[in-house]
Amino acid sequence: MSAGCITLAATLARIHGAQHANAAPARLLAVSKTQPAAVLRELAACGQRAFGENYVQEALDKQRQLADLDLEWHLIGPLQSNKCRDVARHFDWLESLDRAKLVPLLGAARQPERPPLNVLIQVNIDDEASKSGCAPDHIEELARRVTATPGLALRGLMAIPAPHPDVARRAEAFRRMHALFETLRGRHPGADTLSMGMSEDFELAIACGATEVRVGSALFGPRR
Ligand SMILES: *Cc1c(COP(=O)(O)O)cnc(C)c1O
């Protein structure tokens, strides 16, 4: 087994260990920004299919190099309107939708013969001026726009809570996200994904209800 496979197995075991007894295991999104395609290929050989990228151009380059593999691509970085077409055509998931203006651009660009682009609404849960994400009050309006748009499927919420050193403060943000997710799911049954938790805190996020965790450095080592 390669070192990458051992780290992957250890991470999956930690995810499993953090899970409530009856819950489905949270999915692991391997966050591969700045990692070369060869590193993704190695992890794919160990069974990892879902990869998260922050920059559209970097992701497109890797997709070309890995076109022989059946991978699932998630955009997790901020999205500019001039990149909507590339994202709709070349990704499986967009996790960072945060404004209404992008919705028609994404829907129009998605190839009609493909399954819809899976969309998570990014929420600025700690109301940080520097962060992308919509205010909690705007989730429902965005959700309605996504569900009304052919080519898009509303799948849930994503957040990057402020990295408070205090674990209780982080857990509190995760719990607020979970409450917003439950409300969304009550209105939109297709919303089944709550993406939160990174290398430092994914076990805590799972304990608070995450269904997907986004893990970079714990899988790949420090970014290059
Ligand atoms: C980089 C990144 C991650 C992964 O961060 P790590 O701390 O390396 O696990 C997760 N989510 C987003 C949005 C990121 O940009």
Side-chain angles (χ1 to χ4, degrees):
M1 246 209 302
S2 74
C5 288
I6 292 168
T7 313
L8 176 63
T11 305
L12 292 170
R14 283 174 62 190
I15 290 173
H16 197 82
Q19 211 70 53
H20 293 291
N22 297 319
R27 294 187 68 203
L28 171 63
L29 183 68
V31 175
S32 45
K33 59 174 174 247
T34 76
Q35 302 295 339
V39 171
L40 282 71
R41 182 177 290 282
E42 195 186 309
L43 209 63
C46 316
Q48 178 65 26
R49 266 197 79 222
F51 290 89
E53 290 280 342
N54 291 60
Y55 309 103
V56 175
Q57 193 51 53
E58 180 187 332
L60 297 185
D61 290 344
K62 288 180 209 176
Q63 288 174 4
R64 263 189 293 277
Q65 296 177 64
L66 301 171
D68 56 311
L69 302 177
D70 178 27
L71 302 180
E72 185 182 285
W73 295 94
H74 296 225
L75 186 75
I76 61 174
L79 176 58
Q80 263 77 54
S81 47
N82 64 353
K83 298 285 185 193
C84 281
R85 185 183 154 82
D86 279 337
V87 171
R89 299 186 76 83
H90 297 287
F91 284 78
D92 303 291
W93 289 70
L94 167 64
E95 300 207 0
S96 49
L97 180 73
D98 64 356
R99 53 201 193 281
K101 178 182 133 181
L102 306 180
V103 173
L105 302 175
L106 292 162
R110 184 70 172 181
Q111 306 91 320
E113 70 278 10
R114 288 186 65 193
L117 176 69
N118 298 298
V119 175
L120 301 183
I121 296 170
Q122 184 178 349
V123 182
N124 189 351
I125 192 64
D126 285 313
D127 193 21
E128 295 174 279
S130 61
K131 285 276 171 68
S132 12
C134 72
D137 291 356
H138 293 157
I139 295 172
E140 181 54 23
E141 191 219 329
L142 263 177
R144 288 206 188 123
R145 286 182 192 247
V146 172
T147 51
T149 304
L152 305 182
L154 177 71
R155 296 297 297 272
L157 302 178
M158 182 274 246
I160 315 171
H164 280 300
D166 177 4
V167 173
R169 293 276 301 273
R170 278 200 221 188
E172 200 253 318
F174 286 147
R175 286 201 203 94
R176 272 185 285 134
M177 278 304 301
H178 187 251
L180 294 169
F181 175 58
E182 289 294 333
T183 302
L184 180 77
R185 190 152 59 164
R187 294 173 179 153
H188 305 276
D192 58 0
T193 302
L194 177 57
S195 169
M196 60 184 191
M198 318 202 296
S199 293
E200 288 295 309
D201 54 16
F202 68 85
E203 286 151 312
L204 179 64
I206 291 169
C208 297
T211 72
E212 181 192 292
V213 293
R214 307 180 307 271
V215 179
S217 43
L219 269 181
F220 296 112
R223 276 186 274 286
R224 318 168 177 213

